[in-house]
């Protein structure tokens, strides 16, 4: 990795077309290059292992079974950007992950891949683990950086982006666990080899976690672009009758079973169809589960996890939950659909971060595809 120099490695990364796996799909080369170009001497590389999406254990799998791949990706980031410190932010609810990552770090120190003047290339790089206390918002990149700094984990306004003003105000690369692990594949296959896998605009493979309503639950690795129906077939179908899939957690989407056959597991085709792949943890929703309860749960989740910095999310989450709960409890009360749509639009358009801004998509999917079931609870 070090022998061919920084520029060569950066070029391989550009050619690979690697995009982030944490949910937003931002091109990795652009992020790393921005940090590389920053003129400050002190820079950081941060691995986001906060994985808070219910039903997602993709990062947990990688942390426990492929820790060296993640660390190789972080070392590559440090080498390209000129950073000397790497931090892995792991939620404390993953004690086994913390243990195994620490063992892998110790092994790399022993092998001379971490420390001072690594293999004689004049490159110094250390990696430390930081334990997160398990708030969902700490997965949002700026809140995560504030948490490492010992501050209240509130979202920061962007720009400036972390690549120029990140941890302790210094240029910082922050990526998801799976993104770093993919860099290791680029080191092995080369940029072009990596690009030859997956979809044209979204190269490589993707891990997905399937819950226990599938016949064969677990972690699956697929080439990006695979038909969603093939994935369901590979998992042996469902144990019980299912009406929808919640994909990518609360900030992802809700796909009704009727749409499974014409969707491909690809960020762009999901977006074109009005869905969002997110980090791709998948929970199957049983046929007899009331969708109004899922709506209530989504707003309750938003209210619980909101960092409280901006009004639309702080207040809108509670008002949304109140409306739904009243419609469930009260015999005569129906949610005013115009008011409700206005709330969703306000959240989408004016929230400061992807928590308030991203949650309405799942709500909209449910309203669109389960409108008959929801008729008793909403005005038309
Ligand atoms: C509320 C919220 C929670 C998030 N949680 C995570 C998380 O647990 N892990 C993660 O990698 N990204 C999470 N993200 C996305 C990060 O802010 C950021 O985009 C990501 O770490 C960038 O990495 P990537 O480019 O490799 O995907 C979250 C975003 C939001 C808005
Ligand atoms: S959208 Fe919610 S979580 Fe995000 S900054 Fe606003 S209050 Fe905080």
């Amino acid at each position: 990795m070090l022998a061919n120099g920084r520029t060569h490695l950066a070029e391989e990364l550009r050619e690979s077309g690697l995009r982030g796996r944490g949910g937003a799909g931002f091109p990795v080369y652009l992020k790393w290059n921005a940090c590389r170009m920053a003129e400050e001497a002190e820079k950081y590389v941060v691995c986001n292992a906060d994985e808070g999406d219910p039903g997602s254990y993709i990062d947990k799998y990688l942390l426990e079974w492929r820790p060296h791949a993640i660390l190789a990706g972080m070392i590559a980031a440090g080498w390209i950007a000129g950073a000397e410190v790497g931090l892995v932010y792991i939620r404390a609810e993953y004690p086994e992950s913390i243990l195994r990552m620490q063992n892998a770090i110790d092994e790399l120190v022993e092998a001379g891949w971490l420390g001072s003047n690594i293999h004689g290339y004049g490159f110094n790089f250390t990696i430390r683990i930081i334990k997160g206390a398990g708030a969902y918002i700490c997965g949002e990149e700026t809140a995560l950086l504030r948490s490492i700094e010992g501050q209240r984990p509130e979202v920061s306004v962007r720009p400036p982006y972390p690549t120029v003003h990140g941890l302790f105000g210094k240029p910082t690369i922050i990526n998801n666990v799976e993104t770093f692990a993919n860099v290791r594949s680029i080191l092995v296959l080369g940029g072009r080899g990596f690009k030859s896998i997956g979809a044209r605009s979204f190269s490589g493979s993707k891990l997905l976690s399937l819950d226990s309503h599938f016949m064969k639950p677990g972690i699956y690795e697929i080439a990006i672009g695979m038909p969603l129906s093939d994935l369901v077939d590979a998992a042996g179908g469902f144990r019980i009758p299912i009406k929808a899939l919640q994909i990518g957690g609360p900030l992802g989407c809700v796909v009704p079973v009727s749409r499974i056959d014409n969707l491909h597991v690809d960020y762009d085709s999901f977006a074109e169809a009005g869905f969002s792949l997110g980090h791709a943890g998948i929970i199957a929703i049983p046929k007899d589960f009331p969708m109004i309860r899922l709506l209530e749960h989504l707003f309750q989740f938003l209210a619980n996890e909101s960092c409280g910095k901006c009004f639309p999310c702080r207040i809108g989450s509670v008002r949304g939950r109140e409306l739904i709960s009243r419609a469930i409890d009260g015999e005569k009360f129906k949610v005013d659909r115009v008011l409700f749509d206005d709330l969703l639009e306000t959240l989408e358009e004016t929230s400061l971060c992807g928590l308030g801004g991203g949650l309405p998509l799942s709500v909209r999917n449910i309203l669109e595809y389960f409108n008959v079931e929801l008729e008793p609870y909403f005005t038309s």
Side-chain angles (χ1 to χ4, degrees):
M1 163 172 35
L2 307 183
N4 292 326
R6 290 185 164 86
T7 310
H8 175 80
L9 187 53
E11 196 44 40
E12 292 287 325
L13 184 67
R14 193 188 59 73
E15 199 174 1
S16 74
L18 176 65
R19 289 168 62 181
R21 301 298 199 246
F26 191 78
V28 175
Y29 170 78
L30 293 183
K31 191 183 273 190
W32 290 20
N33 198 46
C35 189
R36 182 182 178 212
M37 293 303 167
E39 282 178 2
E40 300 235 23
E42 193 181 329
K43 298 178 183 179
Y44 294 94
V45 174
V46 176
C47 175
N48 186 344
D50 195 50
E51 191 168 53
D53 286 348
S56 178
Y57 45 95
I58 294 162
D59 295 347
K60 185 174 194 293
Y61 165 78
L62 290 169
L63 292 160
E64 294 175 12
W65 295 97
R66 295 287 181 273
H68 300 92
I70 303 163
L71 295 172
M74 292 181 69
I75 294 169
W79 174 238
I80 288 180
E84 296 199 345
V85 178
L87 300 164
V88 192
Y89 186 96
I90 310 178
R91 57 194 300 112
E93 291 95 329
Y94 282 0
E96 187 66 23
S97 306
I98 293 170
L99 198 70
R100 292 192 187 199
M101 275 302 273
Q102 189 56 57
N103 289 342
I105 290 170
D106 294 344
E107 282 168 14
L108 291 194
V109 171
E110 187 79 11
W113 276 103
L114 288 171
S116 302
N117 192 20
I118 294 170
H119 293 293
Y121 285 95
F123 169 47
N124 308 324
F125 196 66
T126 56
I127 297 184
R128 267 184 60 201
I129 293 174
I130 308 281
K131 285 188 212 172
Y136 187 72
I137 195 60
C138 286
E140 193 283 336
E141 58 185 18
T142 60
L144 186 152
L145 297 177
R146 299 299 81 78
S147 165
I148 296 178
E149 291 166 354
Q151 299 189 48
R152 186 186 157 96
E154 267 187 357
V155 172
S156 306
V157 178
R158 280 156 298 185
Y161 291 96
T163 44
V164 289
H165 190 88
L167 190 61
F168 302 112
K170 304 295 176 192
T172 301
I173 286 174
I174 175 163
N175 280 110
N176 171 253
V177 168
E178 192 183 353
T179 311
F180 282 118
N182 269 277
V183 174
R184 199 253 170 196
S185 304
I186 297 167
L187 295 172
V188 174
L189 302 171
R192 193 177 299 176
F194 185 89
K195 179 93 184 154
S196 69
I197 303 166
R200 214 149 52 93
S201 64
F202 216 114
S203 49
S205 65
K206 180 79 191 82
L207 296 185
L208 301 106
S209 54
L210 272 47
D211 82 341
S212 57
H213 286 134
F214 287 86
M215 291 299 280
K216 289 183 269 178
I219 295 278
Y220 287 72
E221 182 176 16
I222 57 132
I224 291 180
M226 178 183 180
L228 182 57
S229 53
D230 286 1
L231 174 72
V232 174
D233 289 346
F238 305 106
R239 281 179 205 282
I240 54 168
I242 292 299
K243 65 175 163 193
L245 300 176
Q246 184 181 37
I247 303 183
L251 307 185
C253 65
V254 175
V255 176
V257 282
S258 60
R259 295 299 307 270
I260 289 178
D261 280 345
N262 47 23
L263 265 183
H264 290 246
V265 186
D266 164 8
Y267 285 78
D268 295 333
S269 52
F270 259 57
E272 278 161 24
F275 300 112
S276 165
L277 190 55
H279 191 39
I282 304 185
I283 294 178
I285 301 171
K287 204 163 190 161
D288 59 4
F289 188 84
M291 285 316 224
I292 191 74
R293 287 283 175 200
L294 184 56
L295 286 180
E296 185 185 40
H297 172 76
L298 285 169
F299 276 99
Q300 186 62 58
F301 182 88
L302 184 62
N304 291 350
E305 303 298 338
S306 167
C307 81
K309 183 150 177 172
C310 67
F311 293 158
C313 168
R314 187 173 79 201
I315 301 171
S317 57
V318 179
R319 291 291 99 86
R321 207 267 303 141
E322 284 170 355
L323 286 171
I324 305 284
S325 299
R326 263 190 85 189
I328 293 173
D329 297 341
E331 274 178 23
K332 296 233 167 63
F333 182 81
K334 285 191 175 202
V335 178
D336 182 330
R337 186 58 200 268
V338 176
L339 181 71
F340 197 69
D341 283 344
D342 193 36
L343 172 64
L344 294 178
E345 194 183 332
T346 306
L347 279 166
E348 281 167 337
E349 300 296 325
T350 62
S351 293
L352 186 55
C353 87
L355 183 50
L359 190 117
L361 182 62
S362 294
V363 175
R364 286 193 190 283
N365 292 156
I366 295 169
L367 292 172
E368 178 177 351
Y369 292 104
F370 297 93
N371 57 332
V372 176
E373 180 187 327
L374 293 171
E375 224 167 75
Y377 305 98
F378 287 85
T379 62
S380 43

